[in-house]
Structure formats: structure tokens, C-alpha cells
Amino acid sequence: MTALRLALTELRRIAASRVGRLALVAMVLVPSIYGGLYLYANDDPYGRLSEVPAALVVEDEGTTLSGGERLEVGDQVADELLEARTFDWARVARERAETGLEDGDYDLVLVLPAQFSADLASSATNHPRQATLEIRTNDANNYLARTIANTLVSQVTASVAEQVSSTAASRFLEGFADIHAEVSDAADGAVQLAKGASSAHDGAGTLATGADRLVGGQEQLASGADDLADGADDLADGLATLRSSTTELPSQTRELADGARQVAQGDAEVAAAGRQVADATDDLLADLKQTRSRLAQDLQDAGLTPEQRTAVLERVDALSGPVEEANARVQSTADDLDTLSEGADQVADGAERLAAAAPELTDGIARAADGSTQLSSGARRLADGEQDALSGSRRLASGAHDLDDGLDELSSGASTLADGLAEGVRDIPDPSAKQRRAMAETIGSPVAVDRDAEAAAGSYGAGLAPFFMSLALWIGGFVLFTRMRALSTRALAAGQPAWRVALGGWLGPALLGAAQAVVAFGVVALGVGIDVAHPVLLVLFMVGVSAAFLAVIHVLMARFGVVGQFLALVLMVLQLVSAGGTFPWQTLPGPLHPLHHALPMSYAVDGVRRLMYGGPLPQLALDVAVIGGWALGALALATLAARRAGTWTASRVKPELAA
């Protein structure tokens, strides 16, 4: 019995009844129903956004420009949105919009606030402000409405910005003509100013030279007087400060000596008291030990058992421990107090010697301070007179030099100004009205986008088609093996070769899978209307993908039986999240990358994309090789599963014997 005959036998078994034939047709249509209906429902959702309810609130009060024109951008934006019908716009008040968004009447709300035009116009002032578009969404109504609304607001913002930039640029360019004429007149005046300033500069130079000679002699005389006065002032200030600082020194040192003596006496008394406390704690500790001995004897005389006496004495010992620690601390403290008393006596002796010498020191400082004050007064009177004379000569020289420098700068600046204005007149553009309009349009929208795609999907549904067609083929294969047997029990019992049994078990579903692929292609390409660049190659590729998917599901069913259905479902979920059918696979979390590169659905999606959109075909060879490798590997493993299933054991004949 050949593998083909085994496959046909299995197909006849399923189609033996009317219900079986209906089930067979239904299984063939499963991928078409799944993929076709989904792609039909999502073929072009962006093209039907005009059915999405949205509220438009225009509160813009407009503004008056400096030239007297009215600017009412809010109404203009509203008219453009209503005309474009990007959404099913309803122009309403803010209260109605907020209530409708909360109740689900609107999926989004776009608000143009009262200061919208005024904020836009502020770009031409010294205090520009950004205009604000308010957008309100409610994800409880629809999450994607927020994403679409953000895109819409970006487009509106770009459009408004282009209009504002073009208007501002146009006004800016119009001012160039006036600037050109005014700068030309200013250049002529700057030439005349430069000539007059040059003549005045020559006279001021002569005056400044004479004033410099007068200042030179006066500076030498004043310098010596200043040095003398400064030195005398410093000496007097220092001695006066020292005198004032030491006036109270004798009384302070006497107070220090008396205080130090009192501290020494107090420390001696504290040390004596500390020694008495130390002696008392020693006596207390000795009495406590004697008391313990007497207590032990009294307890014994009272007739207490050794255990009872031990319990009582342990409590006494627990009290003696802290007493011993306290005695050790008291003894240490008494020693420290003795040391402190001796140090205080030494400090008191030193303070007495300091107090005795302080009066003679303060008298000497006072006499020196009186003499330095008289010296400073005379030197300062001399220096003041010389400074008055020097100041007058310096003011004369300074004024002469300032006049000379100013006239020099004026002459140089006037010449530079004349040259710069003359050059500026040539550089300032003087465009015609037509040129200004063209320049304003370019400034308002400086970048144009030239879009080109090597391969492009025609719609949202076409973008999803490769993923859902691949997924539909897996689901179709999964459904087939809910009705078809992976291995023929009759062939196994007849001793057919394992490879033939495995191939026969796969070949029947593969024929139905090919029919699934062809019907699914027809529904997507003809029913849904998605354009296909390489229709014949795509049909052949889908048939091959279906055969490979069926081989993988077949080996799971052949090896694990009913459990294989669960494993096939798990494998489908793994491929569902790792194939990269919606977002680029690079956006997947890192742990899913190996699954993307290893599992066959990733290559199925890639191959369908290239054949559907018309992308480069060399990469298709890798897709075919990987999918073919999965198919051959699965068939080889199915052969091993068939060989294992052909070995009859006691547990298979009578499973209860294994219990």
C-alpha cells in the first residue's frame, strides 16, 4: 500500500458520510473565513475615519494685528477640518463636548482656546507665546482614537505654523526695501561726520600733551607725602587698636586668676568627696560578701534544701554583680578627680603670674599710641594738600585725554560706519513683490518630502495580510488534525514501513491544506481586493507553507496524540508573538528574538510580504530553505514516531496491566 493510497483512504473515511463531507468543506474554508473576514473588516479603517464622531470646540476670539487686519485662525482651522471630513466633526460648545466625550457620543474633542489667534500673532512681538491646541480623548471609548487624534493635531499644527511663518516672513521681507533706502542716506551722513571728527582730534592731541607734563611733576611730590601719611596712619591705627583691646587686660587677668583659684579649691573638695565615696563602696562590697555567707548559713539552718538555697543565693549573686561594676567605676572616677585637682592648682598658679605682669604692659602700649596719633595727624595734613594740587592737574589731563580719545574714536567709528553702511546697502536684499512671495512660501515651508518605497502595501488590510494569511494556514492545519488521524492504525497493524505510514498520514492533510491555501488566496486577492505583485509564486509559496505547517502539526499528533493538539496550540501562540507580523520584529523583547529566527512562521510572513508587495526576491530563498527544513525535519521525526507506534507492547494492548 503506497503512501498516496493511505492518504486517499483517510480522505474517503472522512468523506464517507454527508456530515463528513460538509466537515471536510468547512475545514478547507477555515483559513479563508479567518483570514478573509479579518482582512475584509480591517481593509482600510483609516479611509472610514469620517464615520468616527468627534467634537470641535472653537473659542478663539481672534485678534487685531499691528496693521489693523483681523486674524481669526480658529474659524479658519475649523472650516478646513469640517471641509476635509477627517472625522465626523460636530462643532459644539465646550460643555456639550465634555459631556459627549464622557457619555461616549464622541471619541475625541479638539478645542481651539480663546487666545489661539492672539498667541499666534505674538510671534511678531518681543514677547512671543506658543498657541495651544487642546485635545481630549477617552480611552474607555476607543484607545486608537487618541493615537489618530495626536496625528491629526500634528498635521493641524504644521499647517497653522506654515501659514504663520509665511505671513511673518512676507512682512519681514517687505521691510527690506525701506531699510535699503534709509541705510543709504545714513552712509552719506557718516562720511561727513568722519571728516569733522578728524580735524577736532588733531587739536585735542596738542592739549593733552601739555597737561601730561604738568601732572608728571605733581605726582612725584604727592607720592612721597602719601607714603608718609599712610605709614603714620597704619602705625596709629594699629597701636590704637592694641590699646583699646588691652585696656581691661589687668582686671580680666585678675578675674581669671581668682576664678582659677576658686576652681582649684572646688576640684580639691570634689576629689576628697569622691575618695570618701570610693571607700564607702569598698566597704559596701565587703559587707555584701559577708552578708551572703551569713545568709547561706541561715538558709541551711532554716531547713531549705540545697536546690532552694542555691536559687536564693543566685538571686543575691545577681545583685552583687552590678555593685561590683559600680565600685570599679567609682574607684576609677576618684582617681580621675585627684588628677583633675592637681591640674587645677597648676592653672591657678600660672594665672596669678599673668595678672601681676599685665599693668606694666598696658601702660607701655598707651604711651606708644599717643605718640603715633600726633605723627599721623601732621603727615595727613601734608598729604591732603599735595593731593588737592595733584587732583586738579589730573582732572585737566584726564579731560584733555578723554577729549582726544573720544574724538579719535569718533573719527575712526565714523569712518567704519560710513564703510559699513556703504557695504550694507549692497548686501541688503531689495526683492520684488513676486520674489518676496516666493521667498515667504519657502521660509514658511522649507522642507518638501519626496516619498518613495521599494515595496508598498496598498492599505492597512494589505499590511496585515501576510501575517494573518500565515496564521490562517496554521489554524487551518490545526483544524484538519481535529478530524484526521496522524497515523493509520490499519497500516501499522499490517506492518507497513514506518516512512510510508508517516508520509501517508501527512499527505492527506497536505492535499487539503493546498486547497485551503488556494481558496484563502482567492478570497484575499479577489474577494477582499488586495493587490498581489506575484500571484502565481504566492500561491505556490502558500501551498508550501501549508505543507510545512501540517508536517509540524502532524509529527506532534503522531508522537503525542491528543497532547500534540495542545502542543500545536502552544507553538502557534509562540509564533503569533514572535513572527513580527504587525510591528518590526526588532521591537520585540530580547528573549523573543531567538524564537523569531528559529520558528517557521517568521519566514512565512516574510515570504508572503515579498511576493505580495513586490519586494526583492533573493531573500525568498532563505525563507523557502528554512520552511523546507522544518518540513523535512518534521517528516523525519514523524517516521520515528510511526516506527515507535508500530511496536506493540503490553501497555498498549491492555493499559490496565500497567496499573
Side-chain angles (χ1 to χ4, degrees):
M1 182 179 293
T2 64
L4 178 58
R5 188 170 180 180
L6 287 174
L8 294 177
T9 300
E10 180 66 13
L11 292 176
R12 282 196 299 269
R13 182 187 68 81
I14 295 176
S17 64
R18 184 174 183 180
V19 174
R21 289 190 292 273
L22 291 175
L24 191 63
V25 173
M27 288 189 292
V28 171
L29 294 178
V30 164
S32 303
I33 296 172
Y34 174 77
L37 285 179
Y38 188 91
L39 295 176
Y40 173 73
N42 295 276
D43 181 35
D44 189 14
Y46 292 100
R48 292 186 288 272
L49 290 178
S50 59
E51 304 299 325
V52 176
L56 179 61
V57 179
V58 182
E59 298 177 340
D60 183 23
E61 298 174 353
T63 188
T64 302
L65 302 177
S66 57
E69 312 97 289
R70 285 290 297 172
L71 182 65
E72 296 178 345
V73 181
D75 289 332
Q76 181 180 353
V77 171
D79 293 340
E80 291 178 357
L81 291 176
L82 292 172
E83 181 179 356
R85 285 192 57 79
T86 309
F87 292 97
D88 185 12
W89 291 108
R91 186 167 176 174
V92 297
R94 180 186 287 267
E95 294 76 9
R96 172 69 186 101
E98 292 177 352
T99 303
L101 182 64
E102 182 178 352
D103 296 340
D105 296 337
Y106 304 119
D107 285 350
L108 65 97
V109 174
L110 179 64
V111 181
L112 288 84
Q115 295 297 316
F116 189 69
S117 293
D119 291 341
L120 289 174
S122 68
S123 61
T125 68
N126 292 329
H127 303 285
R129 305 182 301 275
Q130 279 188 323
T132 303
L133 285 173
E134 300 177 16
I135 181 172
R136 303 283 185 269
T137 58
N138 186 351
D139 288 356
N141 296 334
N142 193 307
Y143 168 72
L144 288 180
R146 175 170 51 155
T147 304
I148 299 170
N150 290 337
T151 303
L152 169 67
V153 171
S154 299
Q155 295 173 354
V156 172
T157 302
S159 175
V160 172
E162 180 180 344
Q163 296 177 21
V164 173
S165 299
S166 299
T167 302
S170 178
R171 293 178 181 171
F172 180 71
L173 293 171
E174 287 174 357
F176 275 136
D178 296 336
I179 295 174
H180 186 278
E182 293 174 1
V183 172
S184 179
D185 294 339
D188 295 337
V191 172
Q192 298 176 2
L193 176 63
K195 292 179 180 180
S198 179
S199 300
H201 171 59
D202 294 337
T206 303
L207 176 62
T209 301
D212 285 341
R213 287 196 295 269
L214 175 62
V215 171
Q218 193 66 42
E219 284 180 344
Q220 294 177 359
L221 182 60
S223 177
D226 282 338
D227 292 342
L228 176 62
D230 291 341
D233 286 342
D234 292 342
L235 177 60
D237 292 341
L239 290 173
T241 302
L242 181 60
R243 180 180 186 178
S244 62
S245 300
T246 59
T247 300
E248 304 295 330
L249 183 62
S251 61
Q252 292 172 346
T253 55
R254 172 49 53 195
E255 292 177 359
L256 176 62
D258 294 343
R261 181 58 59 192
Q262 293 175 359
V263 171
Q265 293 174 354
D267 287 344
E269 294 175 358
V270 172
R275 180 53 57 193
Q276 293 176 358
V277 173
D279 295 340
T281 55
D282 280 340
D283 295 340
L284 174 63
L285 186 60
D287 291 343
L288 183 62
K289 292 179 179 179
Q290 294 176 0
T291 300
R292 183 184 185 283
S293 299
R294 289 196 299 271
L295 178 62
Q297 185 61 43
D298 293 342
L299 293 174
Q300 183 177 0
D301 295 342
L304 271 70
T305 64
E307 290 79 7
Q308 292 174 335
R309 293 199 302 273
T310 300
V312 174
L313 292 176
E314 284 178 351
R315 294 197 176 184
V316 174
D317 292 341
L319 295 175
S320 64
V323 174
E324 291 178 353
E325 293 180 2
N327 179 56
R329 292 183 182 177
V330 170
Q331 298 299 327
S332 176
T333 302
D335 295 339
D336 293 340
L337 290 175
D338 291 339
T339 303
L340 177 61
S341 177
E342 294 174 359
D345 286 337
Q346 295 175 2
V347 172
D349 295 339
E352 288 287 352
R353 290 192 294 274
L354 176 61
E360 295 180 3
L361 174 62
T362 56
D363 290 342
I365 293 173
R367 289 192 297 273
D370 293 339
S372 64
T373 300
Q374 296 174 1
L375 174 62
S376 174
S377 178
R380 180 53 56 194
R381 287 195 296 272
L382 175 61
D384 290 343
E386 292 299 331
Q387 287 297 330
D388 290 341
L390 178 59
S391 298
S393 60
R394 281 179 173 172
R395 286 194 295 271
L396 174 62
S398 177
H401 278 288
D402 288 344
L403 177 61
D404 183 46
D405 293 341
L407 291 173
D408 182 30
E409 293 178 0
L410 176 61
S411 177
S412 176
S415 298
T416 303
L417 176 62
D419 295 339
L421 289 174
E423 183 178 355
V425 170
R426 295 189 296 271
D427 294 338
I428 295 174
D430 186 19
S432 64
K434 182 177 180 180
Q435 290 174 327
R436 287 198 298 269
R437 286 193 298 272
M439 293 169 68
E441 292 175 358
T442 302
I443 293 173
S445 181
V447 179
V449 179
D450 183 11
R451 302 182 183 275
D452 185 26
E454 186 171 339
S459 64
Y460 179 78
L464 295 177
F467 175 59
F468 280 94
M469 291 175 71
S470 301
L471 182 59
L473 292 178
W474 184 278
I475 293 174
F478 181 85
V479 171
L480 287 176
F481 275 104
T482 61
R483 293 286 299 169
M484 303 186 73
R485 294 178 300 187
L487 299 175
S488 173
T489 306
R490 183 177 178 183
L492 291 173
Q496 294 287 334
W499 67 267
R500 184 178 299 169
V501 175
L503 185 61
W506 164 80
L507 189 57
L511 294 175
L512 294 178
Q516 288 179 336
V518 173
V519 174
F521 170 82
V523 170
V524 170
L526 302 178
V528 179
I530 295 178
D531 294 333
V532 177
H534 305 286
V536 176
L537 292 178
L538 179 56
V539 170
L540 295 176
F541 184 77
M542 289 177 62
V543 169
V545 168
S546 175
F549 286 176
L550 283 164
V552 175
I553 299 172
H554 171 252
V555 70
L556 294 175
M557 296 293 295
R559 176 61 182 86
F560 300 104
V562 177
V563 178
Q565 289 184 340
F566 173 74
L567 296 177
L569 184 61
V570 172
L571 187 57
M572 181 189 73
V573 173
L574 292 177
Q575 295 183 105
L576 180 69
V577 299
S578 65
T582 51
F583 292 95
W585 68 266
Q586 292 86 350
T587 61
L588 295 172
L592 295 181
H593 287 193
L595 293 178
H596 171 80
H597 292 296
L599 297 178
M601 192 176 292
S602 303
Y603 300 90
V605 172
D606 182 75
V608 173
R609 276 202 191 110
R610 296 178 183 280
L611 294 173
M612 181 174 286
Y613 304 154
L617 295 183
Q619 179 68 19
L620 189 64
L622 175 62
D623 299 331
V624 173
V626 172
I627 293 172
W630 271 88
L632 293 176
L635 289 174
L637 293 176
T639 300
L640 296 178
R643 181 175 300 169
R644 183 176 182 276
T647 302
W648 293 88
T649 62
S651 60
R652 292 188 61 195
V653 175
K654 225 171 179 40
E656 61 270 20
L657 294 178

